[in-house]
Every structure is written in C-alpha cells, then in structure tokens.
Amino acid sequence: MKNEIVVYTVSDSLGETSQKLLSAVSVQYPDLIFNNSYKFPFVNREEELLEILQDALKDKAIVMSTLVNSGLAQVAQKFSRRTGLQYLDLLNPFFELIQARTGKRPIEEPGIVHKLDKEYFNKIAAIEFAVKYDDGKNPHGFLESDIVLLGVSRTSKTPLSMYLANKGYKVSNLPLIPEVPLPQLLSKVEKKKVIGLTCHPDNLSRIRTNRLDSLGLNHTSKYTDLEKIYEELEYSKQVFEKYGAYVIDVTDKSIEETAYVVEDYLKNSNSLR
Amino acid sequence: MKNEIVVYTVSDSLGETSQKLLSAVSVQYPDLIFNNSYKFPFVNREEELLEILQDALKDKAIVMSTLVNSGLAQVAQKFSRRTGLQYLDLLNPFFELIQARTGKRPIEEPGIVHKLDKEYFNKIAAIEFAVKYDDGKNPHGFLESDIVLLGVSRTSKTPLSMYLANKGYKVSNLPLIPEVPLPQLLSKVEKKKVIGLTCHPDNLSRIRTNRLDSLGLNHTSKYTDLEKIYEELEYSKQVFEKYGAYVIDVTDKSIEETAYVVEDYLKNSNSLR
C-alpha cells in the first residue's frame, strides 16, 4: 500500500517502549498507516535477529529496537549500516549519554526481569484496591484511599480510578445520585483527598445517549434528559462544596489529561503542608 | 548526590513516552538513581522552553524531549549544541526517517488532542466492562467477553483483566473455589476464550501469606495451607479440562508477560480458524 509504513519492533523484553513511541509518532501522520504486525519480543540470539532484519529489509520496514544486549544491538547497527535498513535504536543514545557522564554501562538484563519489585507489587495492590472500591461498593475504602473521586454518572470515575491505580495510587470512587443518601464515612475523609468530577451538561447528555445506544436501550429515559442532568450536576456541586472537594471539569479531557490534573493538584497540596 | 542523574522531561503533550523510555533505561543501572522530579508537560512557548533548558544546564541534567513542534525542537537542539547540554530528542529521529522515505512532515499537533477517538472510547468501555465483570460478579458478562479468566485466589486474575482491558479486550474473570458451584453460563462460552491461570503451590502460599500480612490477618488460616492449596489447584485443573481452557502458569511472570502469552495465544487461535 502506498501510504503504509511497515514497522518492525525488536526487543529482548516485551517491546512496550517501542509501542509507546510508535503510537506517539503515528498520531503525527494522520494520512499514513503504520503497520506494526511484526512484533518480535524476547529476541536473544544473533541468528534470530539477523533473520528478522533480513525480513525487514525485504519488507522495506523501519525497525525500532529496544535491545539491551550490546552484542545484539551492535549486530543490528552494523547490518543496517551495510544494507541501508532504516533502524532506530531507542535505548543506545541514552546509554551513551550515561557512559559519557559516569563511565557506567547498562547491566544488559532484559527489563522485564526487574519488574517484580516492591513498586510493581504496590501497583498490583492499588489496581485491586480500585476495583474493590469502585462505584461506592464499600465506603470503608474511603479512609484508606489516597484519592476519593466523586461525580454523577458518566464523569469517567471508573476509568480514571484505574488509570491512577496503574500509577500506584489507592483510589475509590462514589457515584453521586440525588435520590441516594451519601455514606456517613465520607465526612471522615481528609478534604484534600476528595476530588469532584464535573462535565458540561450537553456533553454529559451526549455521552449518556451513546452509552444507552451501546447497551441497546432507548433514550426516552430521564438519564439523558438535560433538565434532569442540570439537577444532578447542581446536586453534585453542593456535595463538592460540602466536602471541600477539588473540582475538575472533565469536558473534552482524556483520562490521561484528567489524571495529570489530579497528580498536579496532589503534588501542590502536599507541598503546601 | 554522586550516583544521582537528574532527568528533565519536556513535552508539548503529557510526556508519557519519555517516562516509559526512562523506566526502561533506569532498570539497566541498579546503582544509579534517576531523579525525574522535573517533568514539563504542555510546553508551547520558546521563552518557557529556554528557561527550562537553562535550569537543566545548571542542574547538570539530561533532557528528554518529545516536542512535536519543530520550531521548539530546533530551539532546544541549538541550545544544547551551543551549551553542551545532554539532550535527547525521542521523536525527531523517527520523523527524519519518515521524511526521507515519504517526504511527509508531522502535523505537529500535541498527541493528546488526537486521543479522543474510537479506539480511545473502546478502551474506556473495555475497562468499565472488566471492572463490572471482575470476580465472577455477573456471569452474564462471560458471553460478551473476548476473554474469560479462571483461576484460584491470587493467580492475578484482577490485575491481568485490567491490563488486558487497557489494551481494549473485554475481559471477565471467575475465581475458582471448590466449595462454590460454577455458574451454568460458563459452558456456553466459546472454548477458545477460556483461559486458566495456575501457579506453583509454594509461590501461591507465599503470595497468600503476604496478602494476609498486608491485611493484618494471621496465617493459621487454611487459605495459606499448602495441602489445601494443592486441593484447590487440582480442582482448578479439572475445571480447565472440563471447559477446554488454555492454561498459563503465572509463576514468576509479571502481568505484562502473562498478558503477552494471552495475546499470542488469541492471535494464533484466531489465525487457525
């Protein structure tokens, strides 16, 4: 295909760094198609690597490498210079800067081996925590949380909780429903941990309509009714005030952006103490 | 500090690609400390950028950049050449390869703007799905799932579900408990969607002991008893056979590695059809 760019990713681990970089690059070329069907994780033999590079050359592919083994990285480097293969080593430029500065070399062990550390297990625990205390299922989680998210239906509480959990935060969330009384425990949560999510009523109505579509339900429900949404949002505003919540408007924000605002707020509110 | 390397990350978006690369690099230097307190997202003015670079120079920092704005990227490039600042542009080498090949230039819009697309909303829906159908809460989710995970307690069902959801898969999971009958709906799930997680009994006992520790409970429970664990694992083996599950041993595997095995299996089982 004319506008297709074939990308091979080669790694002695999983190759996640290459995927991340490739997705950052590909959004910059909306009219090109990046075909990354060729993912080669756990590469650890020279012959295997050379076969992959030969294929890449035939496919006129760009090769992204996160090989930490310097022997393999050099083989790929030499091969590319000799044949003109478009080859990008993501790690080596960084390794060279560090060597210039400290004289130190990387230990050359595939990254995944080191992942089962304390930070890793904290993250797993945080994810389990967020699932357990999603949707106000158990208000006792509020007291153990780093962050308590409040908001009416479809203000992205659940995916935001999971994203923040993935960064190691213990997060619980509570849906605000005017007809349902708030759990008493909420008043015992430190104010700076409470974050309120709000959204423009029109957007909320649209998101809820899409939601009902995807569930195969019809829209004559008060769930998507603008007047009802105004009421809900007004109620949520009162709750935010009552509990001293830090309020974030999620309209047109991606989860990543909202999470950034949350982290920035936490950092600042901690440094003020 | 002697073994500390200060790293500045500069981006016109969130800078997640730099974080990812930095974490891949840092595991290669267990005796160096990488201090990345200096994160600069949403940089879009030249003066702002120059101030950051000046500070980096003072701090003897390495600067990682994912600036897509070519004007800003050039400013940083020139500044670094002139001053000797250690500067790594992660995106530009890739942009140059693409230009050499297609003549095309990046659109230079910060990545985050493009994230609210269909793929993004599918991912959000998959995360909500996985939370909703975690822990066998509602067996009706099995029929809509791309993947149904089965396993005894502490075989990483929940974090694996969330990780796969984050890649867009609809995942449900069911804990296997000998005393609890299996939901009938399980027999209606396509065999190739059913994945069984198992683990070495010693590891499972250790993980469960840690789990009780973290919950502040004592260990005299049958939950950590090796004999009981053998029984549970034997039972899970029978269930896997009955439902034709593809079995993965998660002992010493990180979630990322297990997820890789799952995806590889799905790819192969689909290509066989």
Side-chain angles (χ1 to χ4, degrees), chain A residues 136-176:
Chain A
K137 267 180 302 215
N138 183 347
H140 290 279
F142 294 159
L143 301 180
E144 287 176 64
S145 301
D146 300 318
I147 300 165
V148 179
L149 301 174
L150 309 178
V152 304
S153 174
R154 297 282 104 196
T155 46
S156 70
K157 295 182 298 298
T158 296
L160 181 61
S161 299
M162 296 306 141
Y163 187 83
L164 288 164
N166 212 31
K167 297 198 156 205
Y169 295 98
K170 289 161 89 176
V171 188
S172 54
N173 73 67
L174 177 71
L176 298 182

Side-chain angles (χ1 to χ4, degrees), chain B residues 11-25:
Chain B
S11 175
D12 30 26
S13 178
L14 281 168
E16 293 184 306
T17 309
S18 291
Q19 313 299 334
K20 187 89 188 173
L21 184 67
L22 181 59
S23 71
V25 167

Side-chain angles (χ1 to χ4, degrees), chain B residues 182-198:
Chain B
L182 293 165
Q184 297 211 320
L185 271 173
L186 195 56
S187 56
K188 296 201 174 151
V189 179
E190 266 188 274
K191 277 191 166 45
K192 67 163 191 171
K193 291 183 176 178
V194 182
I195 290 179
L197 303 175
T198 188

Side-chain angles (χ1 to χ4, degrees), chain A residues 3 5-7 14 16-17 20-22 24-25 27-32 34 41-42 60-62 64 68 86-88 90-91 93-95 97-98 100-102 104-112 114-116 120 123-124 127-128 131 134 137 154 158-159 162-163 166-167 211 252-257 260, chain B residues 3 5-7 14 16-17 20-22 24-25 27-32 34 41-42 60-62 64 68 86-88 90-91 93-95 97-98 100-102 104-112 114-116 120 123-124 127-128 131 134 137 154 158-159 162-163 166-167 211 252-257 260:
Chain A
N3 284 325
I5 296 194
V6 179
V7 179
L14 281 168
E16 292 184 307
T17 308
K20 187 90 189 169
L21 186 66
L22 180 60
V25 167
V27 294
Q28 296 302 319
Y29 300 92
D31 53 350
L32 291 179
F34 290 83
F42 307 121
K60 299 192 172 53
I62 293 180
M64 300 173 79
V68 296
Q86 288 196 316
Y87 176 77
L88 272 183
L90 305 189
L91 298 179
F94 209 126
F95 292 164
L97 287 190
I98 293 173
R101 169 182 290 236
T102 65
K104 284 187 198 292
R105 295 286 309 154
I107 52 172
E108 300 189 15
E109 282 179 33
I112 206 72
H114 300 276
K115 283 201 177 161
L116 298 171
Y120 173 82
K123 194 175 95 171
I124 298 295
I127 292 170
E128 291 176 334
V131 173
D134 179 60
K137 267 180 302 215
R154 297 282 104 196
T158 296
M162 296 306 141
Y163 187 83
N166 212 31
K167 297 198 156 205
R211 173 68 169 174
D252 291 331
K253 279 198 184 72
S254 69
I255 299 300
E256 290 85 346
E257 281 174 294
Y260 172 78
Chain B
N3 284 325
I5 296 194
V6 179
V7 178
L14 281 168
E16 293 184 306
T17 309
K20 187 89 188 173
L21 184 67
L22 181 59
V25 167
V27 295
Q28 296 302 320
Y29 300 92
D31 54 352
L32 291 178
F34 290 83
F42 306 121
K60 298 192 172 57
I62 293 180
M64 300 173 79
V68 297
Q86 289 196 316
Y87 177 78
L88 273 181
L90 306 188
L91 298 179
F94 208 125
F95 291 165
L97 287 189
I98 293 172
R101 170 183 290 236
T102 65
K104 283 185 199 294
R105 295 287 307 154
I107 52 170
E108 300 190 15
E109 281 179 35
I112 207 74
H114 302 274
K115 282 199 177 162
L116 299 170
Y120 173 82
K123 194 175 95 171
I124 298 295
I127 291 171
E128 292 176 333
V131 173
D134 179 60
K137 266 180 302 215
R154 298 282 104 197
T158 297
M162 295 306 139
Y163 187 84
N166 212 33
K167 297 198 156 206
R211 172 68 170 174
D252 291 330
K253 278 199 185 74
S254 69
I255 300 300
E256 290 85 346
E257 282 173 294
Y260 172 78

Side-chain angles (χ1 to χ4, degrees), chain B residues 61-118:
Chain B
I62 293 180
V63 178
M64 300 173 79
S65 153
T66 48
L67 293 166
V68 297
N69 180 302
S70 59
L72 292 178
Q74 276 171 24
V75 165
Q77 197 68 261
K78 274 189 202 162
F79 178 95
S80 312
R81 247 181 248 146
R82 187 165 57 77
T83 60
L85 176 71
Q86 289 196 316
Y87 177 78
L88 273 181
D89 187 324
L90 306 188
L91 298 179
N92 217 42
F94 208 125
F95 291 165
E96 284 174 5
L97 287 189
I98 293 172
Q99 192 168 16
R101 170 183 290 236
T102 65
K104 283 185 199 294
R105 295 287 307 154
I107 52 170
E108 300 190 15
E109 281 179 35
I112 207 74
V113 177
H114 302 274
K115 282 199 177 162
L116 299 170
D117 56 6
K118 190 163 171 246

Side-chain angles (χ1 to χ4, degrees), chain A:
Chain A
M1 217 182 302
K2 192 166 166 256
N3 284 325
E4 187 184 76
I5 296 194
V6 179
V7 179
Y8 277 46
T9 48
V10 182
S11 175
D12 29 27
S13 179
L14 281 168
E16 292 184 307
T17 308
S18 291
Q19 314 299 334
K20 187 90 189 169
L21 186 66
L22 180 60
S23 72
V25 167
S26 59
V27 294
Q28 296 302 319
Y29 300 92
D31 53 350
L32 291 179
I33 296 154
F34 290 83
N35 172 358
N36 182 218
S37 314
Y38 302 92
K39 299 188 180 83
F40 300 94
F42 307 121
V43 173
N44 54 22
R45 290 179 308 107
E46 187 173 327
E47 311 84 78
E48 186 187 4
L49 175 61
L50 284 169
E51 267 176 46
I52 294 167
L53 298 175
Q54 288 287 5
D55 285 346
L57 197 63
K58 260 182 252 161
D59 284 347
K60 299 192 172 53
I62 293 180
V63 179
M64 300 173 79
S65 153
T66 47
L67 292 167
V68 296
N69 179 303
S70 59
L72 292 178
Q74 277 172 24
V75 165
Q77 197 69 261
K78 273 190 204 161
F79 179 94
S80 312
R81 246 180 251 147
R82 187 165 57 77
T83 59
L85 176 71
Q86 288 196 316
Y87 176 77
L88 272 183
D89 187 325
L90 305 189
L91 298 179
N92 218 42
F94 209 126
F95 292 164
E96 284 174 6
L97 287 190
I98 293 173
Q99 191 168 16
R101 169 182 290 236
T102 65
K104 284 187 198 292
R105 295 286 309 154
I107 52 172
E108 300 189 15
E109 282 179 33
I112 206 72
V113 177
H114 300 276
K115 283 201 177 161
L116 298 171
D117 58 5
K118 192 163 169 249
E119 195 182 329
Y120 173 82
F121 287 109
N122 280 345
K123 194 175 95 171
I124 298 295
I127 292 170
E128 291 176 334
F129 185 93
V131 173
K132 187 167 171 191
Y133 297 114
D134 179 60
D135 205 34
K137 267 180 302 215
N138 183 347
H140 290 279
F142 294 159
L143 301 180
E144 287 176 64
S145 301
D146 300 318
I147 300 165
V148 179
L149 301 174
L150 309 178
V152 304
S153 174
R154 297 282 104 196
T155 46
S156 70
K157 295 182 298 298
T158 296
L160 181 61
S161 299
M162 296 306 141
Y163 187 83
L164 288 164
N166 212 31
K167 297 198 156 205
Y169 295 98
K170 289 161 89 176
V171 188
S172 54
N173 73 67
L174 177 71
L176 298 182
I177 306 165
E179 297 80 10
V180 178
L182 294 164
Q184 297 212 319
L185 271 173
L186 195 55
S187 56
K188 297 200 174 151
V189 180
E190 266 188 274
K191 277 193 167 41
K192 67 162 192 173
K193 292 183 176 178
V194 183
I195 290 178
L197 303 176
T198 189
C199 183
H200 193 284
D202 294 344
N203 290 54
L204 205 53
S205 172
R206 202 160 54 239
I207 294 168
R208 289 186 175 182
T209 303
N210 290 341
R211 173 68 169 174
L212 293 187
D213 274 341
S214 74
L215 295 173
L217 300 171
N218 71 37
H219 307 162
T220 50
S221 129
K222 65 178 183 176
Y223 182 69
T224 57
D225 181 51
L226 257 182
E227 201 171 321
K228 182 67 175 58
I229 287 180
Y230 276 110
E231 272 174 43
E232 283 185 46
L233 288 172
E234 184 50 38
Y235 166 72
S236 76
K237 205 175 143 190
Q238 288 164 18
V239 174
F240 299 158
E241 275 167 22
K242 178 170 174 194
Y243 293 94
Y246 177 73
V247 180
I248 302 174
D249 184 348
V250 303
T251 311
D252 291 331
K253 279 198 184 72
S254 69
I255 299 300
E256 290 85 346
E257 281 174 294
T258 308
Y260 172 78
V261 179
V262 171
E263 285 197 272
D264 202 46
Y265 160 71
L266 290 179
K267 210 160 52 182
N268 291 329
S269 70
N270 282 327
S271 67
L272 288 176
R273 320 214 116 214

